[in-house]
Amino acid sequence: MTQSDDLMQLDSLWRGVHVATMKDGQYSTIENAAIGVRGGRIAWVGPADQLPRYQTQQEHNMAGCWVTPGLIDCHTHLVFGGNRAGEFEQRLNGVSYQDIAAQGGGIAASVSATRAASEADLVASSKRRLQSLMRDGVTTVEIKSGYGLSLESELKMLRVATTLGNELPVTIKRTCLAAHAMPPEFDDKDRYIDYLCHEVLPKVATLGMADAVDAFCEHIAFSPEQVERYFQTAGQLGLPVKLHAEQLSALGGSAMAARYQALSADHLEFITEDDVKAMASAGTVAVLLPGAFYTLKETQRPPMSLLREHGVKIAIATDANPGTSPALSLRLMMNMACTLFGMTPEEALAGTTLNAANALGMAHTHGSLEMGKVADFICWDVESPGELSYWLGGDLVKQRIQQGIISL
Ligand code: NIG
Ligand code: FE
């Protein structure tokens, strides 16, 4: 066959689909659409009857399924040793998360188990969790360190995250959460922050092991002032920041993070209007984590109306971790964001696509189906995009496309 210049050259074409493009965070529906892929990017998307003349290696007729961008889980602690099912039982008997932490459980328990685990064991256990997310429609996952709390073991966690991205068809973003809790070797929080600023962050940055830096700003973790020093170092090293803020109390961490142009501030149940305004003007994304809210039986919800009123972008993530959110379905989190926080299914889908991409600083290439963006998308066995937030579980993925290639 001779190639002609006036034919659009494609690697693959999907037809017989309805598309929720999520351009500008809206469904932006195109019914009876087609999607053309070339070189792992979207070469064309639009109504099938406007498709230019083309030549393609492969053509897939999907018989009317719905396509959305691949889901993006922008906040997880997916790599850890052991699990904390015992704490789940303690909490059911009335012991609080803070009490468990004070007794040496909580994050500290996962730190011991993660330090003790071999790198190969961490890869194996995390891979199973990652595959659950992928089977449910996720194509990009952020993974935090933070159960190592020493240079050596933080690097071990970040290497595991790197390996997962190399071994599976999924995009991994790695975040260094070394300021998650106090390690047993330190008894002074300022000294530990000094260690992170002088030894851990510079090495992580030099080795290119993280895409961003995160901290836990809370009474049981670090103060806004301590986190600020750590953010200053991250900034000097050219690493963007994010923050666990206002989860259990209002410390103003989210407003401080906004001053450092944080990509996101996450949790936010106790955020104030001033914090919301600071986030809005900095373009900091609000990442809401309904799995942690549910697991800890929180009662104070993030202030949806304030976030909407000030135009803060809202993302939803699993927060997958062994303590506060043993969640392995991002779609379930979308349902919980609707039921528990009053989000609409359209907002929930924006929260796991374009807004989640913004929370990872990758919205120029990911998060919506537009020409030139990376061809990560899901063909769903549903009759409307709202069903993605409606079902509790279920096997809805018909085809998963990662960088233009069908995988899974
Ligand atoms: O996002 N808030 C702090 N960090 C995690 C919990 C980690 C843990 O308990 O192991 C969170 O909820
Ligand atoms: Fe978290």
Side-chain angles (χ1 to χ4, degrees):
M1 190 167 23
T2 53
Q3 293 199 344
S4 160
D5 281 349
D6 60 358
L7 292 182
M8 175 170 65
Q9 298 297 324
L10 300 173
D11 299 332
S12 314
L13 178 73
W14 276 261
R15 306 188 70 136
V17 292
H18 309 303
V19 179
T21 70
M22 301 319 289
K23 184 177 183 309
D24 303 321
Q26 316 285 315
Y27 281 151
S28 300
T29 305
I30 312 171
E31 301 216 5
N32 304 315
I35 304 175
V37 169
R38 182 162 166 95
R41 300 262 172 170
I42 296 172
W44 196 86
V45 56
D49 60 8
Q50 292 174 21
L51 192 62
R53 295 199 321 124
Y54 64 92
Q55 206 163 43
T56 186
Q57 312 285 320
Q58 290 183 325
E59 190 159 324
H60 310 276
N61 196 318
M62 300 309 293
C65 75
W66 273 89
V67 171
T68 70
L71 303 186
I72 297 175
D73 194 349
C74 66
H75 178 143
T76 86
H77 309 250
L78 207 66
V79 173
F80 54 84
N83 71 59
R84 300 194 341 241
E87 289 180 14
F88 171 63
E89 296 196 33
Q90 274 184 283
R91 282 200 309 276
L92 291 175
N93 288 321
V95 188
S96 75
Y97 181 62
Q98 288 92 324
D99 288 344
I100 291 171
Q103 291 159 13
I107 295 172
S110 290
V111 171
S112 310
T114 305
R115 285 180 173 186
S118 71
E119 207 164 310
D121 284 348
L122 289 173
V123 169
S125 61
S126 310
K127 192 179 271 185
R128 285 172 46 223
R129 295 188 280 269
L130 181 54
Q131 284 169 323
S132 300
L133 292 174
M134 291 166 64
R135 274 195 293 273
D136 199 39
V138 169
T139 50
T140 297
V141 181
E142 184 255 21
I143 298 179
K144 302 177 193 295
S145 62
Y147 295 125
L149 311 183
S150 68
L151 176 61
E152 182 199 351
S153 47
E154 286 290 298
L155 285 174
K156 176 172 76 172
M157 291 188 71
L158 293 166
R159 278 196 304 274
V160 170
T162 310
T163 303
L164 292 170
N166 291 338
E167 293 188 358
L168 292 177
V170 62
T171 298
I172 300 293
K173 288 285 191 174
R174 301 155 306 169
T175 300
C176 177
L177 174 60
H180 193 194
M182 283 290 283
E185 305 77 34
F186 283 80
D187 51 18
D188 184 281
K189 291 184 180 179
D190 287 305
R191 286 242 179 89
Y192 181 57
I193 294 288
D194 288 343
Y195 164 70
L196 298 182
C197 292
H198 295 133
E199 296 188 42
V200 176
L201 291 183
K203 193 74 182 171
V204 166
T206 310
L207 294 173
M209 290 304 288
D211 304 295
V213 164
D214 194 353
F216 185 19
C217 186
E218 195 57 64
H219 292 297
I220 59 171
F222 300 97
S223 69
E225 295 71 26
Q226 286 161 339
V227 174
E228 194 161 356
R229 287 204 288 126
Y230 172 79
F231 277 3
Q232 280 163 357
T233 302
Q236 285 155 12
L237 295 165
L239 287 166
V241 298
K242 314 165 74 67
L243 189 63
H244 286 71
E246 272 65 70
Q247 179 186 12
L248 308 169
S249 60
L251 297 184
S254 46
M256 182 281 292
R259 286 205 305 281
Y260 287 84
Q261 270 70 52
L263 291 172
S264 70
D266 304 34
H267 287 288
L268 306 181
E269 281 83 347
F270 288 84
I271 195 171
T272 66
E273 184 159 14
D274 284 344
D275 299 330
V276 172
K277 285 182 184 163
M279 287 177 63
S281 59
T284 298
V285 178
V287 178
L288 306 185
L289 305 167
F293 174 91
Y294 165 82
T295 302
L296 296 181
K297 296 189 191 165
E298 297 287 338
T299 51
Q300 171 134 346
R301 299 170 191 190
M304 286 303 304
S305 48
L306 279 180
L307 294 168
R308 287 188 185 114
E309 186 187 318
H310 293 284
V312 174
K313 291 188 173 70
I314 302 167
I316 306 295
T318 59
D319 195 13
N321 76 69
T324 63
S325 191
L328 297 174
S329 163
L330 186 53
R331 273 196 318 100
L332 179 58
M333 300 302 108
M334 291 164 63
N335 172 277
M336 288 168 63
C338 294
T339 305
L340 300 175
F341 296 163
M343 290 180 73
T344 66
E346 186 171 26
E347 286 176 323
L349 186 57
T352 54
T353 54
L354 190 60
N355 292 351
N358 268 296
L360 298 177
M362 61 193 303
H364 54 298
T365 50
H366 290 74
S368 60
L369 296 176
E370 297 179 70
M371 284 179 220
K373 284 202 171 184
V374 173
D376 286 357
F377 53 90
I378 306 294
C379 299
W380 301 97
D381 201 358
V382 298
E383 289 171 24
S384 69
E387 278 186 56
L388 302 180
S389 295
Y390 161 72
W391 295 104
L392 300 169
D395 186 9
L396 304 189
V397 175
K398 201 161 174 178
Q399 214 173 63
R400 177 182 180 277
I401 292 93
Q402 168 82 14
Q403 295 181 18
I405 293 170
I406 298 171
S407 43
L408 216 74

